[in-house]
Amino acid sequence: MGNHVPAPPRHGQTDVLEALKASIATLALATPQPVAPSPTLAPATPEPVAASSAPEPAAPEPVPPSPTPVPDIGELVTLINGYRSENGLGPLVTSPALTQAAQWMSEDMAGNGYLSHTDSLGRGNLGRLAALGYDCTAYNTWCGENLAAGTATARETLDAWRNSSGHNDLLLNADFAALGIGCAYNGDSTYGWYWVIELGGEAR
């Protein structure tokens, strides 16, 4: 029996083999490209933190707000007195001495980038008030101080104080008769805006 020699492929079979080779090559090249991960959302801006003459405040995350528009201190006086009226309390009169002390303190915090009831000269609120013309000890009267930082408007500042029990207690204290408010801004500081309210039991 003689050896069997396979017949050469017909023309049609050659075309099929070439097409199959081309398909395999195409599949090898169709490697999926890597997909970039989705960007991570930035964390939400923290709520502003206020400080009272009780324990020292916990510092909020640095979030300097826009310096415009300039806050209206008179609006905050009106808002505070309206809030007191809603709670059956009389209005607080503006005291020049308390206003001077509050403005000095707000500028000191803004200029030195801190949030504390102890000023850059090492004085607490009672010593500072006495040095700036409102001597709580000599007057034998009540005194209190609220601080806030990072709030750009009167409404935001009042809301920060109202939402903190210690600050709210000072705003609604029936022993107070007078107030002074200060506000300062420093775009290079930690919190941008700094607010101070000084409260006293004597309208002086």
Side-chain angles (χ1 to χ4, degrees), residues 15 19 26 28-29 34 43 53-54 61 72-73 89 97 112 127 129 138 143 148 199:
D15 291 343
T26 302
L29 292 175
S53 54
E61 291 296 320
D72 185 350
I73 291 177
L89 299 170
N112 292 285
L129 286 173
C143 283
L199 299 157

Side-chain angles (χ1 to χ4, degrees), residues 12-31:
Q13 291 176 328
T14 301
D15 291 343
V16 171
L17 289 174
E18 293 300 324
L20 181 59
K21 290 179 182 179
S23 297
I24 293 172
T26 302
L27 290 173
L29 292 175
T31 304

Side-chain angles (χ1 to χ4, degrees), residues 105-127:
M105 183 59 172
S106 66
E107 292 175 3
D108 191 54
M109 290 193 297
N112 292 285
Y114 71 93
L115 179 63
S116 171
H117 294 287
T118 302
D119 64 31
S120 64
L121 302 179
R123 303 174 298 186
N125 66 308
L126 295 182

Side-chain angles (χ1 to χ4, degrees), residues 44-111:
T45 302
E47 294 297 322
V49 173
S52 72
S53 54
E56 292 297 324
E61 291 296 320
V63 184
S66 168
T68 54
V70 176
D72 185 350
I73 291 177
E75 179 187 1
L76 183 52
V77 173
T78 300
L79 289 172
I80 290 171
N81 281 332
Y83 181 48
R84 285 174 62 88
S85 178
E86 291 170 4
N87 288 273
L89 299 170
L92 303 173
V93 300
T94 299
S95 160
L98 291 176
T99 299
Q100 179 184 5
Q103 187 60 38
W104 186 94
M105 183 59 172
S106 66
E107 292 175 3
D108 191 54
M109 290 193 297

